């Protein structure tokens, strides 16, 4: 295990019935880096993130975050440790306004997993509201802050979910295809935003099909195919790897 | 609700005015007599509390009448054992309902959706049956719990010798029957409105709305939803207990039928009719149901014959036969029809009707001027 590793996935196996979704997966994500995971459809990429956030328990193996073994942690405990996630299909509060969507995670970060103050006033939470507005501005949604989240386009929902994660200032941000469904323009914007976050030192794991996005963000890339990591390395190493070419061009189908 | 201006004093003043003046503005509706007014206030509290659970978290309890019943029993016992003063009675009613809700909520909230509803229903029916069987020493079974001349009433009797008849419930000497009883319930309702409004406009309330909207996301957002839903469950159980104790305050007896599933169902109807998740909708629903119940259940064959006397004899008989299905004991049929109409044409309840009206008259832009919070996922 690497000294400054934030996330360490150790020898994880997971099967669904007869299907081996993850076998023998080892992954090290170093502090402050952006680690991309690529691979064909059904390779097990989302399953890997599910294991990391406690949605799915591995059949064997462990996930270690910042030195803490996450064997028995529930999703909310893992989030409280500093892991936020953008899902492949946006998980947002559809019938609340964008501002409310972003304020809920802000309260969760500030007040912890539970805080019973039924009489404190939202009106008095100016600091949280300001930060929520600023975060919405960061992802380019501030003009719509009073709109209901259900009315957003698919790409905008993704950006909203990104804002919901960013306002938590997570130590580790997991992104499952954050630009899918976005226009070229919005994709570029999101890439720029993710680059700025990187300058702030946030560690990220990003699943992405868009190679342009991958190569403009990633410090390291791991390639997953049929539940196995078949290659791991710097972008240049991955580009030149024959096994990767094979997985993408023929082997996977 | 995001404006920086503090609307709280204004909302409270307006609400208090409407409630305290009910005896006046309900006169044209023929609903200005104390018994009915008391019911308006009490069931408004019941529905308002129910809405804190159902409207904010989306958890639909089918057993809230159990807490109503517990509140009534606790209040009557307070009258029997300690004093006819109503304050201890409502404190006991709220406290016992709260404890009861904590236990039932703790178990039921392990499930969500329909399973949660069934669990609450099962617990309430269990309480109902126990009240008729094992618990008869506490509930006095089918007769119901009543005041008797032999009651110890230790606090009252320490200060004065008991009179000949059964004593009246009172608030430091003011009898709690008739209009004073209504005004007492009205003040409690105003306090409940204040509490509910605060909850709606707090980060806590926002979190509860998040649970309703996407419980899954809440987990990945670092929120432990269980204690939040349990808190909402207990708070709404306490509101129900409060309503139950007020029923005993205005009429000091308690029977198990108060815990029956039909009573649990009624508060669901009230909330949906008025507007789930809105601040005042459930109260309006409670008023509508209690008002119509009062009218329709008082009709009988004679009043119907009189009403249809302008028709020729054969037609009159038919009209009376058909309409008598919908009145008296059969008034629930009317309620059912009304409920269907509202759910089909106004799924957001009376409050949605109100918003639609506002929008029509303000030419599209309006509809936001209510302190209430819209909850339906937009038309
Ligand atoms: N909860 C589950 N139950 C059963 N099978 C599952 C479950 N989750 C994932 N799978 C299966 O595991 C395999 C890997 O799925 P996963 O979602 O991880 O793929 P992916 O790499 O994210 O693919 P995509 O690029 O399409 O998102 C798929 O065959 C999928 O059908
Ligand atoms: Mg996936």
């Amino acid at each position: 295990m690497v000294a400054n590793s934030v996330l360490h996935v150790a020898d994880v196996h997971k099967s669904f019935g007869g299907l081996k979704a993850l076998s023998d997966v080892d992954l090290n994500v170093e502090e402050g880096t952006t680690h991309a995971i690529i691979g064909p459809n059904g390779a097990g990429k989302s399953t890997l993130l599910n294991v990391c956030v406690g949605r799915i328990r591995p059949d064997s193996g462990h996930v270690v975050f910042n030195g803490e073994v996450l064997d028995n942690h529930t999703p909310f405990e893992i989030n409280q440790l500093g892991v936020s996630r953008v899902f492949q299909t946006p998980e947002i509060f559809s019938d609340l306004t964008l501002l409310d969507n972003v304020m809920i995670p802000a309260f969760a970060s500030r007040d912890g997993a539970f805080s019973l103050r039924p009489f404190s006033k939202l009106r008095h939470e100016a600091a949280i509201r300001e930060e929520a507005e600023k975060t919405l501005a960061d992802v380019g949604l501030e003009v719509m802050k009073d709109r209901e989240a259900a009315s957003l386009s698919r790409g905008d929902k993704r950006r909203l979910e990104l804002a919901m994660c960013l306002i938590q200032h997570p130590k580790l941000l997991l992104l499952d295809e954050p630009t899918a469904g976005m226009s070229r323009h919005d994709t570029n914007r999101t890439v720029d935003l993710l680059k700025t976050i990187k300058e702030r030192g946030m560690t990220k794991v990003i699943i992405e099909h868009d190679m342009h996005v991958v190569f403009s963000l990633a410090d390291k890339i791991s390639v997953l195919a049929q539940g196995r990591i078949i290659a791991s390395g710097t972008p240049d190493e991955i580009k030149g790897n024959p096994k990767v070419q094979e997985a993408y061009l023929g082997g996977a189908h | 609700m995001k404006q920086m201006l503090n609307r709280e004093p204004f909302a409270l003043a307006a609400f208090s005015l409407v409630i305290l003046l009910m005896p006046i503005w309900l006169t044209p509706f023929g609903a200005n007599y104390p018994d009915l007014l008391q019911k308006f206030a009490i069931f408004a509290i019941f529905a308002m509390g129910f809405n804190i659970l159902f409207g904010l978290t989306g958890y639909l309890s089918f057993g809230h009448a159990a807490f109503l019943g517990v509140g009534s029993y606790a209040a009557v016992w307070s009258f029997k054992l300690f004093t006819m003063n109503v304050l201890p009675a409502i404190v006991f009613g709220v406290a016992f309902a709260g404890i009861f809700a904590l236990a039932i909520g703790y178990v039921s909230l392990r499930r969500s959706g329909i399973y949660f509803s069934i669990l609450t229903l099962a617990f309430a029916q269990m309480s109902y049956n126990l009240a008729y069987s094992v618990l008869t020493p506490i509930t006095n079974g089918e007769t119901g719990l009543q005041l008797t001349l032999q009651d110890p009433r230790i606090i009252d009797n320490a200060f004065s010798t008991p009179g000949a008849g059964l004593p009246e419930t009172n608030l430091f000497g003011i009898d709690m029957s008739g209009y004073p009883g209504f005004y007492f319930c009205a003040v409690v309702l105003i306090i409940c409105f204040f509490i509910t409004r605060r909850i709606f406009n707090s980060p806590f309330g926002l979190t509860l709305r998040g649970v309703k909207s996407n419980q899954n996301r809440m987990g990945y957002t670092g929120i432990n939803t269980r204690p939040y839903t349990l808190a909402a469950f207990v708070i709404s159980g306490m509101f129900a207990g409060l309503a139950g104790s007020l029923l005993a305050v205005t009429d000091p007896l308690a029977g198990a039928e108060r815990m029956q599933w039909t009573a649990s169902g009624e508060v669901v109807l009230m909330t949906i009719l008025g507007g789930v998740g809105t601040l005042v909708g459930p109260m309006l629903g409670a008023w509508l149901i209690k008002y119509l119940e009062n009218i329709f259940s008082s009709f009988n064959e004679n009043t119907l014959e009189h009403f249809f006397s302008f028709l020729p004899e054969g037609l009159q008989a038919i009209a009376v036969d058909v309409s008598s299905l919908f009145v008296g004991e059969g008034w629930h049929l009317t309620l059912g029809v009304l409920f269907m109409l509202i759910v089909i044409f106004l799924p957001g309840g009376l409050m949605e009707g109100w918003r639609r009206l506002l929008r029509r008259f303000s030419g599209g832009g309006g509809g936001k001027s209510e302190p209430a919070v819209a909850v339906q996922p937009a038309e």
Side-chain angles (χ1 to χ4, degrees), chain A residues 53-55 75-76 79-80 83-87 91-97 99-100 103-105 107-109 112-123 125-126 129 146 148 161 164-165 168, chain B residues 1-8 194-196 198-207 209-225 227-228 231 235 368 374-378:
Chain A
V53 296
R55 183 178 233 182
F76 78 81
N79 176 277
Q80 288 289 345
V83 183
S84 292
R85 172 175 181 185
V86 172
F87 285 82
E91 291 271 359
I92 55 174
F93 303 113
S94 303
D95 46 8
L96 302 184
T97 64
L99 201 57
D100 286 344
M103 281 170 72
I104 290 177
F107 284 121
S109 295
F114 177 63
S115 110
L116 184 61
R117 292 178 303 122
F119 300 126
S120 72
K121 295 181 182 172
L122 271 179
R123 278 194 324 112
E125 303 285 1
R129 166 155 320 119
D146 293 320
E148 208 173 62
E161 201 182 8
M164 293 163 73
C165 291
Q168 297 199 302
Chain B
M1 67 183 193
K2 291 284 148 48
Q3 74 292 346
M4 277 312 174
L5 189 85
N6 189 1
R7 276 192 175 177
E8 191 159 65
F194 173 74
I195 293 174
T196 310
R198 270 296 181 84
I199 290 177
F200 267 60
N201 294 326
S202 68
F204 173 74
L206 179 61
T207 309
R209 265 185 227 127
V211 172
K212 177 177 181 171
S213 184
N214 188 346
Q215 181 150 12
N216 195 25
R217 182 21 110 184
M218 292 303 264
Y220 301 102
T221 301
I223 290 163
N224 186 2
T225 54
Y228 277 103
I235 292 172
K368 284 252 166 88
V375 89
Q376 284 320 61

Side-chain angles (χ1 to χ4, degrees), chain B residues 249-316:
Chain B
V249 162
T250 54
D251 185 12
L253 50 87
E257 76 287 343
R258 224 162 251 177
M259 302 173 130
Q260 219 179 347
W261 68 271
T262 45
S264 296
E266 197 179 54
V267 75
V268 179
L269 297 192
M270 288 171 177
T271 309
I272 294 176
L273 278 184
V276 182
T278 61
L279 193 53
V280 295
M283 177 177 77
L284 300 181
W287 290 353
L288 183 69
I289 288 188
K290 285 297 154 193
Y291 179 66
L292 294 180
E293 176 186 67
N294 183 53
I295 292 179
F296 283 94
S297 61
S298 71
F299 281 6
N300 54 31
E301 298 259 322
N302 288 335
T303 39
L304 287 177
E305 268 164 27
H306 182 73
F307 185 79
F308 290 113
S309 55
F310 63 91
L311 292 171
E313 201 144 305
L315 277 179
Q316 184 198 15

Side-chain angles (χ1 to χ4, degrees), chain B residues 23-91:
Chain B
I24 296 174
W25 64 261
L26 281 175
T27 308
F29 300 96
N32 62 336
Y33 52 96
D35 272 9
L36 188 59
L37 289 170
Q38 288 164 2
K39 272 195 193 150
F40 281 173
I42 293 171
F43 282 92
I45 293 171
F46 190 22
M48 223 178 234
F50 182 77
N51 187 47
I52 291 176
L53 180 70
F54 181 39
L56 291 183
T57 71
Y59 277 80
L60 174 55
S61 160
F62 263 111
H64 256 51
F67 310 125
L68 192 78
V70 168
S72 289
Y73 282 123
V76 175
W77 272 112
S78 164
F79 294 141
K80 287 167 81 72
L81 294 178
F82 307 120
T83 167
M84 292 306 289
N85 191 315
V86 297
L87 290 185
I90 62 176
V91 170

Side-chain angles (χ1 to χ4, degrees), chain B residues 174-188:
Chain B
I174 309 168
D175 270 2
M176 285 291 110
S177 52
Y179 278 109
F182 161 69
Y183 282 109
F184 179 71
C185 296
V187 169
V188 177

Side-chain angles (χ1 to χ4, degrees), chain A residues 16 19 21 39-48 50 56 88 176-177 207 209 224:
Chain A
F16 297 111
L19 177 82
N41 290 113
K45 304 180 298 294
S46 299
T47 305
L48 179 58
N50 285 341
I56 287 177
Q88 189 166 357
D176 200 340
E177 305 191 18
I207 294 175
H209 283 298
L224 202 61

